[in-house]
């Protein structure tokens, strides 16, 4: 069914015919789910003295960005939004007081994004006050309610995660009974495979995880895992990064044996860290009912009309006026050279890896201790030594059965952390595909006059003027963005889609050239912020101002721009 | 426009060609193989080259020039035309040693005449004559100058293939990357007859006067040629120029031309589906129908369908017309610089796309050449690259990519590679490896790894201290193509034979070089002893289908069905009245009821059930697999209890055969997990299946590949244009 296939296309999109994944170990394993359990107490709505947005607002922005990214990247995942410590109660059987299920576990759609929008900003706080309010807190009840959400789901869930957003380290104010109940419920949840994370937010006087929450959250996956974030999130960006890191379940495309030589085998997982995202394919709908239709493809005999079964057909190619016929099995057999796996050929200095030897996006490998124990140790030793000696490993790579081999370079990559101690690059080998002789074309190079030193110096000036710091995630795909804006407009009955900002055009940003083009000074902006008169400015001016301060906004609604600017400038 | 060549193969079949020392292959056989391999390559390369075949030393005479006893024993076997399998078959069966000898210079003249007559009015880029002879015949050298002059005038090139090398040194070693042992058996100089020695001088004379010193490069030994020809021609596509303008801001514009320099080459031809009996393509018709997702699979006309897209949980109807109107509009072809950045900020492993484009200044545009050269040199000295917006044309999606400077001895260019968009990246976090107590390698383990790396370096120092790469991947032909052509050729010539094994040279080319293998033995052993590696024995973590999908309320649980059979069916009968056919809502219940009621024959009940199973599987959706599994379980149970194994077994066998084509691998895996295999003799007497066969039945699995890559609407690029021409 299109639905199912599309899901996996997003997961591991098989753009190339032979890039389809093999693993199978998760193909049938079900859907991911994520519950946001958000504290709705008064404390969450307090704006800190330095004028930043409230913790609640920050959380909602974060939830919204997860919703929209799920819609695009993994629309089959289930997401729920639950508030605790509310005045009002709303849950399936209304058996829990002070728990408000704002969104049941379901795949996010356009309506949900609109629902979140209602909770954003100053107006959102008022709306929240009116609909959910702040009241008594019982985390135990809230967790119980969440566990019901999970058990009400008929689908098989593969990955269950619950994230608690709060700025109160002692939610029950020393009520031991409530604390106990919360611990029991948390333990119950963890037993059913739910991973509980704490996204703790700033609190005057500091958030003390050890006071209560250390017993609630799941222990880190193993001792090596980065463990509890001791620092609470201050900025939306940090929060989003932290949520995103947890929210995406990493999955290997396949697990393979990596053979160093006779009898020395380790196991590795193969991961796709970058793959061209494409527009999802269209679904065919019945004109009258908008109901999805599916296609059936049949082969039949041209003369007698009988249905042809697979063994009634063979494969053929014509060469030199002759048709050559083979069985389907033989066509597969031709592609078979060896069993799937990585086989080490040897090592080469890094400078032998040519920049222009590129034919496919790279993969990433990481040891699989569960398949062959001891893999991580050999892997780490190789990783350290390869990077120390500045060499890469050359391997023969067969990703799955009946697939011809390719040679790949395993380039060592050691772990790097960013300032906030989050992993910037993971430890492992990048798998770079190398071209065969057939993949390299012979060109007649154009030979012309070359530039003089003076001309080169002139050009250096130009280069200098237009220099900027490239970051791989700074360009959005305008085609995809436009597509989703269009869908959004149609889904939400908007008159016209919101305009996208095309970062790939010269006027779209990216280049430093545009930076000085501020139409409004920082001073003026600060005044506007102080007087809450940003609303008087036009959207393009606000956008330019955002760009000027390097603020990436989740949308282009005026209010969002104003909020973003306010947050940035009132620091 | 045409880049094809016309070529005459001119082979000596005279009696001396059949002479050989004991244990050695006669030159005739070797020459025949060279011709076969050559023609084979031409057939599969499918270019427009035309090939003719002239034999000399034949018993008969057949050529235009034969007159008055001149040019005798020379036969034009095939006139210039595109080589085909017919020619291959002719060579195989009709090319026999002759009993005469003929002057190879005469044969050369016949070939020249053939080329000139038959290429008249056609345009060929290259005219070539290939002579295969042992030179063992008396030649009259008096016409030599005339021949050389007319060869020059007609622009005809010559190649010689001889059983022995031209001079003392064996040229076979010069081949460089050609895998396989070098030919040592061809003895130079010694044992040549006086005719041969004289012939050699003439060959040298002709070749040097035609091409000066390079001429001798075109004299090969049979053995050398065989080795080189056994590698099928690489897929060679003519680079297509992509003229555009490089812009930096609005002020600077440079006329450029881009060429695809590196890209993953695919086999040009795909397999067509033909009828198994008639081998006719037209006998197979393919039909795609649209149907609703209801019980009856109501068919819907294509015209009654519209297009929609998913937006999260919503499906938004979005017609093609609207989509086209609202979609992102690109301004068309462009190569505009968005800014410049340090090369180190662009990570090699984040290269996207499937190609590298080399960008040169437009030909004969001096201004462009100087400007581009200045840019390339500036970037090179600053270690920077340009970040560029690239769009192939108006129809294609824009990309963001990097243009790196590339300065070679002979030319300068930019290398363009696509970079990711934000949407393309997945930020996964992995547990740390270093400083992790469990995995930290000890000092001795590290030194074992160190020694292994040292012993396995693929770059070696030669006598002059130059480092030499002993395993150049970019010199290895793609084994997929080599194997495909080998099999196609084999099947084309021997339609009833099984496929041949992979050729040894190809196998060797994919293995670790022998020297490296030998060198790393000891360090590898050391690694083996120092690092304990153990395959983890899985504690039967196989999931049954019920585990996989959970047992939801509206789908019957396979296990439960079995236990509750009695009660459920009785209830069902009461509730539903008499069941007359297997419906789609609860096929298992209906089927079991039918079998019990015996209102229809067992055969018919089974037939109805299998129809439903097929329908369910047709959805190819895991949600329906569960139901199908329950059906198969019931089918099996009822078959066993009624002692009729045949229907079930034959259905399962046909189902298995269809797994690859219907992409039912996942489903089959579930059958494996539930151990739903054939009914064996042990269970039903009438079964023809042994217990062992039944057990093995499921174990065999064949992975199916996705039939075709999803069509992307805008992969438009250099080659598409080429394909459209």
């Amino acid at each position: 069914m299109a639905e199912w296939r599309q899901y996996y296309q997003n997961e591991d999109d098989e753009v190339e015919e032979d890039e389809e994944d093999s693993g199978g170990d998760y193909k049938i394993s079900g859907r991911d789910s994520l519950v946001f359990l958000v504290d709705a107490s008064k404390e969450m709505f307090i704006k800190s003295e330095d004028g930043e947005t409230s913790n609640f607002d920050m959380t909602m922005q974060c939830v919204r960005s997860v919703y929209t990214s799920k819609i695009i990247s993994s629309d089959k995942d289930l997401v729920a939004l639950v508030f605790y410590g509310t005045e009002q109660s709303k849950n399936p059987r209304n058996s829990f007081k002070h728990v408000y299920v704002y969104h049941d576990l379901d795949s996010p759609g356009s309506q949900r994004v609109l629902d979140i929008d209602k909770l954003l900003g100053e107006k959102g706080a008022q709306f929240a006050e009116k609909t959910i309010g702040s009241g008594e807190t019982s985390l135990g009840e809230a967790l119980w309610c969440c566990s019901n959400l999970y058990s009400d789901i008929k689908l098989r869930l593969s990955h269950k995660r619950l994230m608690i957003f709060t700025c109160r380290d002692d939610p029950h104010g020393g009520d031991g009974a409530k604390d106990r109940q919360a611990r029991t419920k948390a333990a119950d949840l963890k037993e059913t495979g739910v991973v509980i994370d704490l996204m703790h937010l700033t609190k005057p006087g500091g958030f003390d995880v050890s006071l209560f929450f250390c017993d609630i959250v799941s222990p880190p996956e193993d001792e090596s895992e980065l463990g509890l974030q001791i620092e609470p999130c201050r900025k939306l960006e940090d929060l989003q990064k932290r949520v995103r890191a947890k929210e995406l379940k990493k999955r290997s495309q396949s697990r393979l044996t990596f053979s160093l030589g006779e009898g020395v085998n380790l196991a590795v997982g193969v991961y796709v860290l970058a793959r061209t995202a494409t527009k999802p394919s269209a679904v065919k709908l019945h004109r009258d009912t908008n109901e999805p239709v599916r296609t059936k493809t049949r082969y039949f005999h041209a003369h007698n009309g009988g249905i042809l079964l697979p063994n009634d057909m063979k494969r053929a190619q014509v060469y030199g006026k002759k048709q050559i016929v083979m069985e389907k099995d033989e066509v597969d057999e031709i592609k078979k050279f060896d069993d799937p796996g990585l086989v080490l050929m040897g090592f080469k200095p890094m400078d032998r890896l040519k920049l222009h030897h590129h034919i496919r996006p790279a993969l990433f490998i990481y040891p699989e201790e569960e398949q062959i124990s001891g893999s991580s140790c050999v892997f780490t030793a190789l990783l350290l030594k390869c990077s120390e000696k500045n060499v890469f490993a050359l391997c023969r790579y067969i990703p799955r059965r009946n697939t011809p081999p390719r040679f790949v370079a395993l380039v060592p990559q050691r772990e790097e952390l960013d300032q906030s101690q989050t992993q910037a690059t993971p430890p492992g080998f990048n798998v770079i595909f190398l071209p065969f002789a057939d993949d390299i074309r012979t060109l007649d190079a154009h030979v012309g006059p070359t530039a003089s030193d003076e001309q080169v110096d002139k050009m250096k000036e130009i280069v200098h003027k237009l220099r900027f710091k490239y970051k791989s995630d700074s360009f959005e795909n305008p085609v995809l963005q436009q597509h989703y804006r269009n869908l959004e407009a149609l889904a939400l009955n908007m008159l016209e889609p919101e305009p996208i900002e095309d970062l790939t055009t010269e006027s779209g940003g990216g280049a430093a050239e545009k930076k000085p083009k501020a139409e409004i000074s920082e001073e003026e902006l600060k005044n506007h912020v102080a007087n809450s008169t940003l609303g008087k400015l036009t959207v393009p001016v606000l956008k330019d101002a955002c760009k000027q301060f390097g603020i990436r906004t989740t949308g282009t609604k005026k209010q969002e721009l104003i909020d973003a600017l306010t947050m940035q400038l009132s620091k | 426009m045409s880049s094809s060549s016309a070529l005459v193969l001119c082979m000596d079949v005279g009696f001396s060609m059949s002479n050989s020392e004991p244990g050695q292959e006669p030159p005739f056989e070797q020459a025949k193989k060279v011709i076969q391999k050559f023609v084979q390559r031409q057939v599969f390369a499918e270019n427009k080259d035309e090939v003719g075949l002239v034999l000399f030393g034949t018993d008969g005479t057949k050529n235009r020039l034969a007159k008055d006893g001149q040019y005798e024993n020379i036969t034009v076997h095939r006139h210039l035309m595109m080589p085909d399998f017919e020619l291959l078959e002719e060579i195989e069966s009709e090319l026999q040693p002759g009993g005469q000898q003929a002057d190879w210079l005469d044969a050369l003249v016949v070939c020249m005449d053939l080329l000139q007559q038959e290429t008249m009015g056609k345009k060929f880029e290259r005219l070539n004559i290939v002579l295969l002879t042992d030179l063992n015949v008396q030649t009259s050298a008096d016409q030599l100058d005339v021949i050389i002059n007319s060869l020059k005038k007609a622009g005809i090139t010559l190649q010689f293939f001889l059983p022995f090398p031209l001079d003392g040194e064996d040229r076979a070693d010069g081949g460089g990357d050609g895998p396989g042992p070098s030919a040592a058996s061809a003895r130079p100089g010694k044992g040549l007859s006086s005719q041969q020695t004289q012939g050699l001088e003439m060959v040298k004379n002709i070749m040097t006067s035609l091409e000066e010193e390079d001429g001798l490069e075109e004299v090969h030994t049979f053995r050398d040629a065989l080795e080189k020809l056994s590698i099928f021609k690489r897929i060679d596509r003519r680079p297509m120029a992509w003229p555009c303008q490089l812009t930096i801001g609005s002020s600077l514009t440079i006329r450029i031309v881009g060429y695809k320099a590196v890209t993953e080459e695919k086999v040009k031809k795909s397999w067509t589906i033909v009828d198994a009996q008639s081998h006719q393509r037209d006998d197979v018709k393919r039909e795609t129908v649209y149907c609703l997702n209801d019980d009856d699979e109501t068919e819907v006309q294509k015209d009654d369908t519209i297009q929609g897209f998913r937006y999260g949980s919503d499906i938004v109807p979005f017609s093609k017309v609207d989509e086209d109107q609202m979609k992102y509009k690109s301004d068309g072809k462009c190569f505009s610089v968005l800014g410049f950045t340090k090369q180190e900020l662009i990570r090699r492993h984040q290269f996207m796309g499937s190609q590298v484009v080399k960008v040169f200044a437009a030909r004969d545009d001096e201004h462009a050449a100087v400007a581009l050269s200045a840019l390339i040199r500036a970037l090179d000295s600053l270690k920077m690259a340009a970040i560029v917006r690239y769009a192939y044309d108006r129809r294609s999606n824009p990309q963001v990519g990097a243009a790196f400077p590339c300065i070679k001895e002979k030319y300068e260019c930019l290398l363009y590679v696509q970079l990711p968009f934000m949407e393309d990246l997945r930020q996964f976090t992995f547990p740390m490896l270093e400083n992790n107590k469990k995995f930290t390698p000890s000092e001795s383990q590290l030194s074992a790894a160190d020694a292994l790396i040292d012993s396995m370096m693929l770059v070696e120092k030669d006598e002059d201290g130059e480092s030499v790469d002993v395993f150049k991947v970019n010199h290895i032909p793609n084994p997929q193509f080599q194997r495909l052509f080998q099999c196609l050729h084999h099947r084309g010539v021997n339609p009833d034979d099984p496929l041949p094994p992979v050729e040894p040279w190809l196998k060797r080319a994919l293995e670790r070089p022998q020297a490296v293998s030998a060198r790393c033995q000891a360090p590898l052993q050391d690694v083996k002893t120092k690092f304990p590696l153990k395959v983890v024995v899985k504690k039967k973590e196989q999931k049954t289908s019920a585990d996989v999908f959970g047992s939801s309320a509206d789908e019957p649980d396979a296990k439960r069905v079995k236990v509750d059979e009695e009660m459920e069916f009785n209830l069902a009968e009461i509730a539903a009245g008499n069941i007359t056919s297997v419906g789609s809502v609860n096929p298992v219940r209906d089927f079991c009821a039918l079998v019990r009621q015996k209102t229809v024959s067992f055969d018919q009940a089974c037939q109805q059930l299998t129809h439903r199973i097929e329908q369910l599987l047709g959805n190819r959706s895991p949600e329906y697999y569960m139901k199908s599994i329950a059906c198969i379980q019931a089918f099996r149970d009822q078959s066993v209890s009624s002692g009729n194994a045949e229907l079930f077994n034959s259905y399962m066998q046909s189902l298995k055969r269809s797994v690859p084509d219907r992409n039912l691998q996942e489903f089959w895996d579930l059958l494996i997990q539930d151990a739903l295999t054939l009914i064996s003799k042990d269970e039903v007497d009438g079964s023809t299946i042994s217990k062992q066969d039944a057990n093995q039945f499921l174990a065999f699995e064949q992975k199916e590949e996705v039939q075709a890559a999803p069509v992307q609407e805008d992969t438009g690029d250099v080659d598409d244009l080429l394909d459209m021409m």
Side-chain angles (χ1 to χ4, degrees), chain B residues 289-309:
Chain B
V289 291
Y290 297 90
C291 55
L292 295 178
N293 237 334
D294 56 13
D295 270 4
D296 300 329
E297 303 192 294
T298 317
E299 278 190 25
V300 175
Q301 290 307 306
K302 186 165 189 250
D303 293 346
D304 287 335
T305 63
I306 49 170
Q307 177 184 269
F309 284 96

Side-chain angles (χ1 to χ4, degrees), chain A residues 152-412:
Chain A
D152 286 348
I153 290 293
K154 294 278 181 288
L155 296 153
R156 164 135 181 121
L157 300 175
S158 54
H159 180 62
K160 297 186 261 191
R161 207 174 260 280
L162 186 141
M163 291 183 184
I164 303 175
F165 292 78
T166 183
C167 59
R168 294 184 297 161
D169 49 9
D170 182 18
H172 305 125
D175 183 336
K178 277 187 173 174
D179 279 359
R180 242 189 333 275
Q181 189 208 13
R183 282 194 202 104
T184 329
K185 285 297 153 203
D188 289 352
L189 270 173
K190 284 183 271 190
E191 205 152 277
T192 58
V194 179
V195 179
I196 304 178
D197 290 318
L198 178 65
M199 296 295 154
H200 51 312
L201 308 161
T202 43
K203 159 185 182 284
F207 194 106
D208 188 355
V209 177
S210 63
L211 221 49
F212 168 69
F213 275 100
C214 55
D215 296 334
I216 299 294
V217 295
S218 303
E221 275 168 48
D222 60 21
E223 51 191 308
S224 66
E225 185 92 307
L226 294 167
L228 265 187
Q229 308 275 351
I230 305 302
E231 278 295 302
C233 291
R234 267 175 207 288
K235 276 190 274 173
L236 176 64
E237 221 173 285
D238 289 349
L239 184 65
Q240 280 177 339
K241 213 195 274 175
R242 201 175 287 184
V243 169
R244 192 161 302 160
K246 292 274 183 192
E247 164 250 317
L248 255 178
K249 170 86 178 144
K250 58 174 186 284
R251 281 163 162 159
S252 57
Q253 185 194 42
S254 59
R255 289 176 187 154
L256 290 176
T257 310
F258 178 10
S259 160
L260 304 185
E262 289 136 77
V264 188
N265 296 324
L266 49 144
V268 292
V270 181
Y271 297 85
V272 180
L273 300 189
R275 190 51 47 93
T276 309
T278 50
K279 256 196 267 183
S281 48
V283 188
K284 284 261 177 242
L285 305 174
H286 188 214
R287 186 186 294 281
D288 302 339
T289 56
N290 280 351
E291 184 185 347
V293 296
R294 55 193 185 80
T295 53
K296 280 200 298 193
T297 302
R298 287 196 292 244
Y299 290 94
F300 59 89
H301 199 277
H303 302 309
N304 62 26
I307 297 279
L308 293 172
L309 294 172
N311 25 351
D312 297 331
M313 294 176 282
K314 288 187 179 176
R315 304 290 187 274
Q317 290 194 4
V318 178
Y319 277 100
K321 294 188 230 156
K322 190 180 180 89
Q323 177 171 268
I324 304 164
V325 179
M326 291 200 196
E327 301 279 348
K328 172 84 177 66
D329 288 354
E330 289 174 324
V331 172
D332 289 337
E333 189 198 319
I334 289 175
K335 289 187 269 178
K336 180 178 170 134
F337 284 78
D338 204 350
D339 292 329
L342 278 162
V343 178
L344 180 63
M345 297 282 121
F347 299 87
K348 286 188 191 181
M350 278 307 288
D351 61 10
R352 295 276 163 170
L353 182 61
K354 299 289 177 234
L355 185 75
H356 62 280
H357 283 176
H358 165 73
I359 47 166
R360 271 189 212 182
L363 297 170
F364 181 77
I365 57 167
Y366 187 85
E368 280 277 347
E369 202 64 18
E370 292 102 70
Q371 303 253 304
I372 297 178
S373 71
S375 295
S376 301
C377 188
V378 191
F379 190 92
T380 311
L382 281 175
L383 182 65
L384 289 171
K385 280 297 165 189
C386 282
S387 96
E388 181 189 308
K389 298 170 94 83
N390 204 26
V391 296
F392 66 86
L394 185 77
C395 290
R396 190 176 68 216
Y397 172 56
I398 298 182
R400 68 198 73 84
R401 255 165 302 166
N402 297 335
T403 309
R406 275 263 160 205
F407 286 101
V408 294
L410 302 186
V411 179

Side-chain angles (χ1 to χ4, degrees), chain B residues 271-289:
Chain B
W271 295 92
T272 50
I273 295 178
V274 296
D275 184 77
Q277 255 80 50
S278 64
H279 289 187
Q280 288 299 305
R281 182 185 175 171
D282 295 339
D283 284 350
V284 177
K285 284 268 172 289
R286 191 191 144 123
E287 179 197 57
T288 303
V289 291

